[in-house]
């Protein structure tokens, strides 16, 4: 955080070294302005809002994304990649994390970059001469985004600084950490303030503002926060607002409804982006011309190249058109066995060993190879950027879901079951997800909900968080090196401890 604070205190967070990952963010770079001279009008305030949104889809210089890193840490995937020297993900996968080795520096950097930008905008907005209703909407959006960043950080690190104002260079070395309860309280305050703001819309036009914050997103995020706090009644109420009165039917307030065909969720075409099931979605594009000089600057989805099988070649005309990727996040035998006979299997797992066995295609095994890859995100030749500038491998256009309706259905069902709520409704929510793929109804038990979350949301970055909050991580990951009471969080990055008042978490030998 200290290095980013120092940089961003000089250069305005609203300005154009920043790239966007949402379709509605189309401001073109013009140069640099000092922060003191910025936020002079409505357009500059909008540019500042763009800068906050940008961090939601940020991808680190070490190829780190929240979805990729947490997938590697779960029992559904391994780190994979190039080999033993590729420790960003394998160190979390085999739980050999240290404060200096792992994905934590990128994840810390992402979260606090977003918070700094949100705080700057919130601090500047009151004095910007602009339409007051838009100003209130921008404020609400920034509050939800700040809550989103803090929610990720407190779940990943537990012991983090908390600030609702910008940190100056003079202050950055004296920042201290807050109790996790204080962070959660601030997240709640931000989300409730946004929900209460009349100028925050219920819906936005997908074609022009897809990905922009709505009241539905705020309710969904608050419901998830309550689940992590085990406030079951509050969680169920917030999530019911999102899910609607009748599971499986359109929510008339926000327009949410399960997509009829599960497989359509993983297409990259414009007609399925920001679909009815999407609540909070990050947009990517093949036209940003992102290159290796700045991986974080690309607006393409790097998970598509990362998840693809290494050295892939086709042997028959009917072979899948996977790209030759980098073999990160191979699927474990455990997930394969769990989902093999489920209708979602063919949309979730690419069985390269089977393709090789039958002479349909071939590939080169990478590190920690299992023969199974993540079909949901494996890049396709049909999506490869053609004729565009930049590095094609960094510019795939598949969007990513931060929150989708099946997730909130299952979270509400869980809150109802664990909180002693309406079990009939819990069953309706659980079985609406199952019915979408043609599965018969099952009782609304916690174990059935856990199983459904694993199969429905496989590879989407939820599994590790679920295992930790359920207390199931030691049993599921013990053979991988997971130590109960330690590996539920990441270590504070080593570079953040030097010459500051930040303390390492006691789980990693510190005092915090």
């Amino acid at each position: 955080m200290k290095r980013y604070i120092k940089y961003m205190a000089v250069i305005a967070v609203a300005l154009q070294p920043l790239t966007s990952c949402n379709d509605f963010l189309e401001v073109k770079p013009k140069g640099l302005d000092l922060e003191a001279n910025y936020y002079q009008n409505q357009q500059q305030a909008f540019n500042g809002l763009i800068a906050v949104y940008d961090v939601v889809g940020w991808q680190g210089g070490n190829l780190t994304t929240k979805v990729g890193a947490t997938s590697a840490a779960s029992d559904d995937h391994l780190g994979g990649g190039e080999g033993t020297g590729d420790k960003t993900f394998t160190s979390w996968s085999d739980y050999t994390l240290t404060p200096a080795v792992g994905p934590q520096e990128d994840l810390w950097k992402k979260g606090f970059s977003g918070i700094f930008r949100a705080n700057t905008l919130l601090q500047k907005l009151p004095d910007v001469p602009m339409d007051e209703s838009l100003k209130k909407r921008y404020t609400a959006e920034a509050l939800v985004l700040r809550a989103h960043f803090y929610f990720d950080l407190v779940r990943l690190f537990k012991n983090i600084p908390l600030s609702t104002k910008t940190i100056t260079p003079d202050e950055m070395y004296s920042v201290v950490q807050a109790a996790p309860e204080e962070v959660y309280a601030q997240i709640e305050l931000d989300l409730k303030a946004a929900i209460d703001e009349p100028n925050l819309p219920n819906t936005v036009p997908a074609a022009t503002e897809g990905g922009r914050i709505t009241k539905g997103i705020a309710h969904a995020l608050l419901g998830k926060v309550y689940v992590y706090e085990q406030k079951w009644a509050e969680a169920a109420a917030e999530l019911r607002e999102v899910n609607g009165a009748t599971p499986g039917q359109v929510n008339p307030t926000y327009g949410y409804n399960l997509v009829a065909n599960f497989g359509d969720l993983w297409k990259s075409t414009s007609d399925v982006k920001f679909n009815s099931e999407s609540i909070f979605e990050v947009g990517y594009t093949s036209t940003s011309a992102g290159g290796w000089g700045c991986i974080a600057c690309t607006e393409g989805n790097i998970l598509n190249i990362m998840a693809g099988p290494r050295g892939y070649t086709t042997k028959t005309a009917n072979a899948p058109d996977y790209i030759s990727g980098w073999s990160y996040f191979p699927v474990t035998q455990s997930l394969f066995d769990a989902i093999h006979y489920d209708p979602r299997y063919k949309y979730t797992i690419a069985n390269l060993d089977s393709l090789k066995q039958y002479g349909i295609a071939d590939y080169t095994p990478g590190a920690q190879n299992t023969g199974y890859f993540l079909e949901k995100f494996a890049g396709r030749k049909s999506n490869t950027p053609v004729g565009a500038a930049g590095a094609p491998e960094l510019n795939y256009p598949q969007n990513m879901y931060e929150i989708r309706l099946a997730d909130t259905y299952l979270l509400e069902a869980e809150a109802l079951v664990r909180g002693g709520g309406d079990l009939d409704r819990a069953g309706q929510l659980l079985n609406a997800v199952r019915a979408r793929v043609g599965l018969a109804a099952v009782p609304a038990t916690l174990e059935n909900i856990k199983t459904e979350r694993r199969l429905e949301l496989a590879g989407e970055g939820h599994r590790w968080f679920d295992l930790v909050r359920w207390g199931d991580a030691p049993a599921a990951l013990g053979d991988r090196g997971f130590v109960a009471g330690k590996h539920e969080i990441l270590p504070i990055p080593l570079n953040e401890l030097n010459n500051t008042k930040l303390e390492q978490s006691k789980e990693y030998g510190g005092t915090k």
Side-chain angles (χ1 to χ4, degrees):
M1 183 174 69
K2 59 183 183 293
R3 288 174 290 119
Y4 267 61
I5 289 171
K6 187 180 297 182
Y7 174 75
M8 298 309 292
V10 178
I11 298 177
V13 296
L15 304 177
Q16 307 337 327
L18 312 176
T19 58
S20 76
C21 294
N22 291 81
D23 287 357
F24 76 91
L25 307 178
E26 298 176 348
V27 175
K28 302 299 182 184
K30 297 296 183 183
L32 302 179
D33 289 289
L34 293 178
E35 188 266 344
N37 298 326
Y38 213 68
Y39 300 99
Q40 300 298 311
N41 53 52
Q42 185 167 300
Q43 182 60 58
Q44 291 182 348
F46 183 63
N47 294 355
L49 181 61
I50 289 171
V52 189
Y53 272 102
D54 175 69
V55 187
V56 178
W58 179 89
Q59 301 168 120
N62 291 317
L63 305 177
T64 305
T65 64
K66 180 179 68 175
V67 170
T70 55
S71 291
S74 78
D75 60 339
D76 286 349
H77 301 270
L78 297 166
E82 295 181 7
T84 56
D86 195 357
K87 298 295 288 182
T88 300
F89 305 108
T90 57
S91 64
W92 202 1
S93 183
D94 60 19
Y95 289 90
T96 56
L97 290 160
T98 71
V101 178
Q104 59 269 10
E105 184 168 355
D106 276 343
L107 294 170
W108 180 281
K109 183 187 301 180
K110 171 185 177 177
F112 282 108
S113 293
I115 289 164
F116 183 85
R117 297 178 189 191
N119 283 344
T120 298
L121 179 62
L122 289 166
Q123 203 162 307
K124 295 288 186 177
L125 271 175
D127 296 326
V128 179
M130 61 179 290
D131 179 86
E132 286 299 316
S133 62
L134 274 179
K135 182 184 292 189
K136 291 176 181 178
R137 179 183 179 183
Y138 292 1
T139 298
E141 289 176 86
L143 288 172
V144 174
L145 291 169
R146 183 170 71 183
H148 163 73
F149 296 128
Y150 267 128
F151 185 44
D152 277 351
L153 286 166
V154 75
R155 290 187 295 165
L156 288 168
F157 296 99
K158 187 175 74 171
N159 300 308
I160 61 172
L162 174 65
S163 179
T164 57
K165 67 180 186 67
T166 54
I167 305 297
T168 68
D170 291 339
E171 297 170 325
M172 64 187 178
Y173 295 106
S174 60
V175 171
V176 297
Q177 289 136 299
E181 295 78 15
E182 294 178 54
V183 179
Y184 273 104
Q186 184 61 51
I187 292 170
E188 288 186 26
L189 285 173
D190 284 352
L191 293 172
K192 289 174 182 177
I195 289 169
D196 289 341
E197 174 50 61
N199 290 286
L200 184 65
N202 287 338
T203 62
V204 295
T208 56
E209 296 188 5
R212 198 163 179 177
I213 296 297
T214 62
K215 283 191 189 295
I217 293 174
H219 281 293
L221 185 53
L222 183 55
K224 292 194 77 164
V225 169
Y226 282 144
V227 166
Y228 278 78
E229 295 180 286
Q230 298 191 9
K231 296 180 178 180
W232 304 121
E234 294 92 333
E238 288 296 324
L239 293 165
R240 183 187 178 99
E241 176 70 19
V242 176
N243 297 332
T246 307
Q249 295 187 15
V250 177
N251 180 332
T253 304
Y254 306 110
Y256 300 138
N257 195 20
L258 295 175
V259 169
N261 183 357
F262 179 81
D264 287 345
L265 290 165
W266 318 113
K267 295 179 180 179
S268 300
T269 53
S270 59
D271 59 312
V272 295
K273 290 189 174 188
F274 306 109
N275 55 64
S276 64
E277 187 164 337
S278 172
I279 297 174
F280 191 8
E281 181 173 338
V282 183
Y284 291 99
T285 177
S286 60
T287 62
S288 74
W292 284 102
C294 179
I295 296 175
C297 298
T298 186
E299 295 177 30
N301 188 343
I302 66 172
L303 279 176
N304 291 154
I305 187 73
M306 294 180 74
R310 188 177 296 267
Y312 180 78
T313 56
T314 61
K315 298 295 185 181
T316 64
N318 65 338
D321 68 331
Y322 302 126
I323 57 169
S324 181
W326 300 339
S327 67
Y328 283 94
F329 323 122
V331 170
T332 61
Q333 187 70 44
S334 173
L335 176 58
F336 176 85
D337 291 342
I339 201 172
H340 191 198
Y341 297 106
D342 187 277
R344 289 161 289 203
Y345 165 78
K346 65 179 180 178
Y347 302 112
T348 304
I349 293 179
N351 189 339
L352 268 294
D353 274 0
S354 178
L355 294 177
K356 186 172 184 175
Q357 178 183 350
Y358 290 101
I360 297 171
D362 201 357
Y363 77 105
T364 302
Q368 300 177 303
N369 180 60
T370 62
Y372 311 126
F373 295 83
L374 186 59
E375 173 74 18
K376 286 179 178 179
F377 301 142
R380 298 276 189 160
K381 289 182 179 178
S382 54
N383 282 336
T384 301
V386 178
E393 63 271 18
L394 301 180
N395 287 281
Y396 284 89
Q398 184 176 6
N399 285 8
M400 300 291 291
Y401 303 106
E402 279 286 337
I403 307 174
R404 63 181 175 93
L405 193 62
D407 178 19
T408 58
Y409 270 25
L410 295 173
L411 285 175
E412 186 190 343
E414 180 181 343
L416 290 168
V417 169
R418 299 183 74 177
D422 185 345
L423 294 184
D424 286 341
R425 178 172 171 84
Q428 292 168 16
L429 291 157
L430 168 63
N431 290 308
V433 175
R434 292 176 57 81
R436 189 251 298 271
V437 294
L439 290 172
V442 295
T445 65
L446 182 57
E447 286 306 311
N448 284 341
I449 292 167
K450 287 181 178 181
T451 298
E452 202 63 29
R453 283 189 65 80
R454 185 183 194 187
L455 304 185
E456 173 71 22
L457 303 171
E460 297 177 53
H462 300 282
R463 178 64 174 174
W464 182 82
F465 288 114
D466 281 347
L467 289 173
V468 169
R469 69 182 179 84
W470 289 330
D472 293 346
L477 297 166
D479 61 348
R480 297 258 289 268
F482 187 100
V483 176
K486 176 179 182 179
H487 288 128
E488 288 84 358
I489 60 173
L490 288 168
I492 308 301
L494 182 63
N495 287 335
E496 300 302 325
L497 302 174
N498 297 330
N499 301 315
T500 73
K501 291 186 178 181
L502 299 184
E503 301 174 37
Q504 185 58 264
S505 298
K506 64 178 184 294
E507 289 87 346
Y508 291 88
T511 57
K512 191 63 180 177

